[in-house]
């Protein structure tokens, strides 16, 4: 989950690289570094612990010249976060420099072999082993750098997205990937490489998504450089590949904060139109129809499925839990929801007629990627719900549905979550209609209501000031409990996760009825209880749960349906959401919980967009 960026072309590389690192900081930010080949052919590396701003301060007094460079922002996996372990890393001769996102699992064996050859190491990282191996291969097999990279990567077990410079070849930048993302941007006499498109989008919309075990060699022409501009892509076994150029859907404005103090708040407020985007071309209210191409093209797989296994992590797992209710209610297919990290190792029973749904905003979560690779090997049909076009998980999947909510920069997932729930609800309805397990009346009601959801979310957002006031009252709490039932039990889990990950306050989500099986012993005036209690099938039950809490002097913050007259009388604080179909209530009830967590974190002065210890995309195990 590090961020890598590289440039080769007609312009000064350093400013482009630094700006690119800022765009990638959401992927990890415990140290950063840059390598540049200057006009005199010197290879300079500058590194600093901490965020990219630290690197900028450090490099301000240095020679940052050169039109070719690579840069890296790190989230430590091997070796603690410090300057020595920060990337880029020199080879022993200091002729090569490398940056890397991923994990070389057999680095210890490779390192021992290199040590036997007399190599020494400055850092504890697996990355330094890789650059030494490449140099060792180049020197001892008398091959060029590209071949040395191919041969070295053939020995590597693990995940990598790398970029390498050779000070003796300032006209060439080499990059490669397996299991970690890598995008090439194609400009006019200039090329970019990056972990995703955000550092590239302001320069070009022409990109190539590099596939696993591919090596890309970029050469540019210029008065100082001899070569014609050239993109060469091979596999690590030197099989020539034809570059497949795509057009980026991102715009730079999507990347800016748009006037909000944090990306997270921007993304919470984006939800009315991101859900509109997500449903565009899929939910046709005029025709009372939902059309999901991923379903239409694979109808039989879903109709014949004996079971659906949903595999995901974190917030995406919560979306999967909500999908379980909708798929079982409307498609009447048994559903199991698995944490990817457990599913991939517990030797699960996976059958050829299983449908496995992977949910991932980033499309790069290592555990979820591994989980579907396991399922694919066993013959299951893989369907992914992902937000990043061309990411690893959708590329491994048989089919899928992109959520199309634009880049989600805030580490805490918000707009991706509501889009995931929407996509999965659409899928449940499509299957149910085809199977006849959802009545036409039900189907029409929900399709029409889906069309109303963006406007209803906008109405919930109008309560932001009220929610801010509630946040101020409870920002000193040490613990929270979140409760919900049915479709809103996963919403309680999600609300608790939002609070935990950005405000660092401990919070737990529970099915409301579970309180009397132990947790009610925790109730006190000092621990707020958030209850998600919209009008739905179990409303009377949850009212009783609230009364049980009030009887023990607990403080209750309730999310209720507009016009609620019962909970409003017993809860201490009430936030109202518009009425909607029960299966769609999570799309509305989660909004106040996103805002509550956000405002508490802001009151506490937390780093909302880049919470401590977290990164946006967990591409390591
Ligand atoms: C969500 O707020 C968290 N940042 C985290 O739980 C996230 O949902 C999880 O890491 C899964 O990420 P993915 O959706 O990109 O696979």
């Amino acid at each position: 989950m590090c961020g890598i960026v590289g440039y080769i072309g007609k312009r000064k590389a350093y400013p482009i690289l630094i700006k690119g690192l800022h765009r990638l900081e959401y992927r990890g930010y415990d140290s950063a570094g840059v390598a540049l080949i200057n006009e005199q052919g010197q290879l300079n590396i500058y590194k600093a612990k901490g965020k990219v701003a630290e690197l900028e301060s450090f490099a301000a007094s240095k020679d940052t010249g050169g039109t070719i460079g690579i840069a890296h922002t790190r989230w430590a996996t091997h070796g603690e976060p410090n300057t020595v372990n920060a990337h880029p890393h020199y080879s022993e001769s200091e002729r090569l420099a490398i940056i890397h996102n991923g994990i070389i699992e057999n680095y210890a064996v490779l390192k021992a072999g290199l040590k036997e050859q007399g190599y020494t190491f400055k850092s504890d990282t697996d990355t330094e082993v890789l650059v030494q191996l490449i140099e060792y291969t180049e020197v001892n097999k008398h091959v060029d750098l590209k071949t040395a990279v191919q041969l070295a990567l053939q020995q590597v077990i693990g995940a990598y997205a790398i970029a390498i410079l050779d000070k003796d070849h300032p006209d060439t930048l080499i990059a490669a990937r397996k299991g970690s993302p890598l995008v090439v941007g194609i400009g006019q006499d200039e090329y970019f490489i990056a972990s995703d498109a955000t550092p590239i989008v302001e320069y070009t919309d022409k990109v190539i998504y590099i596939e696993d075990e591919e090596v890309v060699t970029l050469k540019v022409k210029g008065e100082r450089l001899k070569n014609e501009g050239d993109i060469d892509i091979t596999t690590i076994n030197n099989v020539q590949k034809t570059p497949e150029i795509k057009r980026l859907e991102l715009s730079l404005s999507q990347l800016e904060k748009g006037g909000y103090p944090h990306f997270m708040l921007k993304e919470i407020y984006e939800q009315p139109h991101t859900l509109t985007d997500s449903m565009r071309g899929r939910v046709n209210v005029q025709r009372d129809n939902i059309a999901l191409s991923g379903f239409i093209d694979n109808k039989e797989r879903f109709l014949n499925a004996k079971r659906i296994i949903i595999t995901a992590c974190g917030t995406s797992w919560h979306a999967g839990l909500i999908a379980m209710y909708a798929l079982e209610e409307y498609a009447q297919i048994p559903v199991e929801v698995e944490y990817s990290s457990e599913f991939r190792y517990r030797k699960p029973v996976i059958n050829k007629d299983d449908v496995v749904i992977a949910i991932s905003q980033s499309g790069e979560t290592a555990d979820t990627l591994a989980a579907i690779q396991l399922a694919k090997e066993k013959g299951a049909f893989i369907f992914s719900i992902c937000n990043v076009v061309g990411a690893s998980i959708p590329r491994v999947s048989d089919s899928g549905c992109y959520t199309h909510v634009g880049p989600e920069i805030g580490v805490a997932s918000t707009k991706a979550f509501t889009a995931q729930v929407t996509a999965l609800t659409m899928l449940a309805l499509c299957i149910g209609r085809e199977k006849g397990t959802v009545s036409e009346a039900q189907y029409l009601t929900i399709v029409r209501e889906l069309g109303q959801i963006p406007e209803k979310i906008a109405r919930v957002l109008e309560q932001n000031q009220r929610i801010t006031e509630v946040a101020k009252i409870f920002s000193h709490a040490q613990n929270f409990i979140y409760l919900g039932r049915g479709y809103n039990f996963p919403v309680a889990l999600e609300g608790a996760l939002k609070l935990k990950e950005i405000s660092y306050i401990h919070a737990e989500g529970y099915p409301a009825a579970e309180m009397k099986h132990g947790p009610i012993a925790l109730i006190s005036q000092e621990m707020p209880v958030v209850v998600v209690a919209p009008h739905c099938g179990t409303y009377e039950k949850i009212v009783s749960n609230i009364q049980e809490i009030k009887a023990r002097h607990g403080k209750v913050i309730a999310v209720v349906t507009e016009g609620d007259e019962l909970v409003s009388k017993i809860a201490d604080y009430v936030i109202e959401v518009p009425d909607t179909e029960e299966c769609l209530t999570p799309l509305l009830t989660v909004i106040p919980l996103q805002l509550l967590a956000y405002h508490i974190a802001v009151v506490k002065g937390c780093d909302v967009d880049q919470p401590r210890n977290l990164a946006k995309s967990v591409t390591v195990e």
Side-chain angles (χ1 to χ4, degrees), residues 290-519:
I290 296 173
L292 274 185
S293 56
F295 167 72
I296 294 166
D297 300 344
N298 304 283
K299 213 171 276 188
E300 290 317 306
R301 289 304 299 247
F302 286 101
L303 300 180
N304 300 330
K306 298 281 188 302
R307 173 177 64 159
I308 292 176
I309 299 169
I310 295 175
T311 183
C313 303
T315 286
S316 297
W317 185 85
H318 296 149
L321 218 45
I322 293 170
M324 175 184 73
Y325 288 84
L327 285 163
E328 295 209 349
E329 179 173 5
Y330 296 115
Q332 292 182 14
I333 300 175
V335 175
E336 291 170 22
V337 184
E338 298 269 1
Y339 282 114
S340 301
S341 55
E342 287 301 308
F343 184 63
R344 66 179 289 197
Y345 288 118
R346 64 173 184 79
K347 299 179 178 49
V349 173
I350 301 170
N351 305 312
K352 289 189 179 351
D353 56 7
D354 284 338
V355 166
V356 174
I357 297 178
I359 307 170
S360 176
Q361 187 284 132
S362 63
E364 298 298 347
T365 297
D367 285 323
T368 303
L369 182 59
I372 58 176
Q373 284 164 332
L374 168 70
K376 199 177 177 83
E377 285 161 15
K378 293 180 182 278
F381 176 74
I382 313 299
F383 187 87
S384 58
I385 309 277
C386 180
N387 189 44
V388 179
V389 174
S392 301
I393 287 173
R395 289 217 301 283
V396 168
S397 303
D398 296 305
S399 183
C401 170
Y402 283 120
T403 46
H404 292 315
V405 295
E408 187 176 66
I409 308 296
V411 166
S413 185
T414 52
K415 63 179 182 176
F417 172 75
T418 47
Q420 290 165 348
V421 171
T422 302
L424 289 155
T425 304
M426 291 192 283
L427 179 63
L429 289 168
C430 287
I431 301 170
R433 189 187 212 187
E434 203 67 35
K435 287 181 67 177
T437 47
V438 62
S439 71
E440 197 59 12
Q442 267 182 318
Y443 177 85
L444 295 180
T445 301
I446 298 170
V447 169
R448 290 168 185 161
E449 185 59 20
L450 263 173
Q452 300 297 313
I453 289 297
E455 184 273 327
K456 290 188 172 182
I457 289 177
R459 280 165 50 191
V460 180
L461 292 169
E462 289 165 10
Q463 299 201 57
N464 182 51
Q465 186 51 44
R466 168 120 184 84
I467 296 164
T468 306
E469 288 153 16
V470 175
K472 285 176 184 156
I473 295 166
F474 292 102
S475 59
H476 298 294
Q478 299 298 307
N479 299 284
F480 271 74
I481 280 193
Y482 286 69
L483 303 177
R485 280 177 175 261
Y487 282 91
N488 286 285
F489 158 48
V491 175
L493 297 175
E494 173 59 12
L497 176 61
K498 287 282 103 34
L499 186 72
K500 275 183 276 198
E501 67 175 323
I502 63 173
S503 74
Y504 317 143
I505 294 174
H506 173 252
E508 287 195 68
Y510 275 105
E514 270 300 295
M515 284 302 283
K516 53 183 166 304
H517 298 285

Side-chain angles (χ1 to χ4, degrees), residues 535-552:
H535 282 158
C536 59
T538 53
Y539 175 74
E540 285 68 30
K541 305 285 186 194
I542 209 160
V543 170
S544 307
N545 298 141
I546 295 172
Q547 285 164 332
E548 289 155 12
I549 294 160
K550 291 303 298 169
R552 291 158 178 81

Side-chain angles (χ1 to χ4, degrees), residues 70 72 84 92 150 163 239 264 277 330 409 423 431 433 439 485 517 519 564:
I70 55 179
H72 183 276
V84 170
E92 183 139 79
Q150 292 169 339
V239 173
M264 182 179 175
D277 289 346
Y330 296 115
I409 308 296
I431 301 170
R433 189 187 212 187
S439 71
R485 280 177 175 261
H517 298 285
D564 180 292

